Amino acid sequence: MRLNTARQAWHDCTYASTSSQSVFASSVAQLGTKVQTTQGQRRASQAVHQTLAGSVQAAIAGLSRPLRAFGNYMYAPRLDACEQEDAEETVFLMVQRRAARMTAAKREKLGYLVKGVMARYRYMHQGGQSANADPLAAPEAFRAWLDAHYGIRLASASWEREWGGHVRSAFECCEDLDQRALAAVAGRMNEMKKIA
């Protein structure tokens, strides 16, 4: 495990490598679940990885549930449906608090818009380097994606007035949660680097 970025550390601390991916996949396919075997990896690199991963996991465990859910949604190698729902609800509530009053129908559409923004944000920051471009930056592409994934049609006529501010607000909320969640991991990484 390398301590390059907090995003990468978050991903790597929950990633369990196996000596043979095909053997692992075969056992999961046959048994329907992962089974711990008595033959563990005894290399020094594995021990170092486990030590570093445990320290980062402790920092993550100290976060509040919404921050931990958001971080796991963004960076964990396996996406948990419950944590995804928690993360989406957290961002939705933040966006809704920042918005003016709206009808129930618009609030429902806003929920799907927030899910779409979170998917975009996740894609842009995966890999730990935040190097991916926003694939749905054009409103037309984003509207088409929302329609294809959720069956939600948002009018293009007054996009900026109706939805542009909500999209920006959702991105701002994601950035705020991201910074707060990663601050704990970055702090722990700095402590570990000082010791090394």
Side-chain angles (χ1 to χ4, degrees):
M1 181 172 160
R2 294 185 179 147
L3 300 175
N4 294 334
T5 67
R7 289 182 172 107
Q8 183 181 6
W10 194 305
H11 174 274
D12 291 353
C13 81
T14 56
Y15 179 76
S17 65
T18 60
S19 58
S20 172
Q21 293 294 330
S22 60
V23 170
F24 174 74
S26 173
S27 70
V28 169
Q30 288 176 352
L31 302 173
T33 186
K34 179 180 174 184
V35 176
Q36 180 178 351
T37 60
T38 57
Q39 296 176 341
Q41 294 185 10
R42 296 190 173 115
R43 298 188 312 255
S45 62
Q46 184 67 18
V48 170
H49 171 79
Q50 290 173 337
T51 302
L52 295 175
S55 185
V56 173
Q57 288 171 358
I60 293 169
L63 293 171
S64 66
R65 182 181 173 129
L67 288 176
R68 189 172 53 248
F70 182 83
N72 283 332
Y73 168 76
M74 291 295 298
Y75 306 114
R78 182 181 295 164
L79 186 57
D80 180 73
C82 291
E83 287 191 323
Q84 179 177 353
E85 288 176 10
D86 287 348
E88 289 170 348
E89 181 180 357
T90 299
V91 176
F92 173 72
L93 291 174
M94 288 176 71
V95 171
Q96 191 176 2
R97 274 187 237 124
R98 295 179 182 187
R101 293 182 61 181
M102 62 183 74
T103 64
K106 185 170 182 176
R107 189 171 28 259
E108 182 181 350
K109 290 180 180 180
L110 178 64
Y112 290 107
L113 182 124
V114 166
K115 289 179 183 186
V117 168
M118 289 180 69
R120 291 166 60 181
Y121 190 85
R122 184 172 192 252
Y123 174 81
M124 292 163 57
H125 295 286
Q126 277 185 332
Q129 302 300 322
S130 300
N132 295 332
D134 184 355
L136 303 171
E140 300 80 23
F142 187 46
R143 283 196 312 275
W145 186 90
L146 287 171
D147 187 24
H149 283 78
Y150 299 114
I152 298 297
R153 293 178 188 240
L154 300 177
S156 62
S158 54
W159 173 260
E160 184 57 35
R161 181 173 49 87
E162 290 291 322
W163 301 107
H166 295 303
V167 170
R168 285 188 295 280
S169 180
F171 270 112
E172 290 168 4
C173 291
C174 286
E175 288 169 3
D176 180 45
L177 289 169
D178 201 17
Q179 288 174 356
R180 290 171 34 206
L182 293 174
V185 175
R188 186 61 58 96
M189 288 172 53
N190 287 336
E191 290 173 11
M192 290 188 293
K193 287 179 181 180
K194 288 177 185 176
I195 293 171

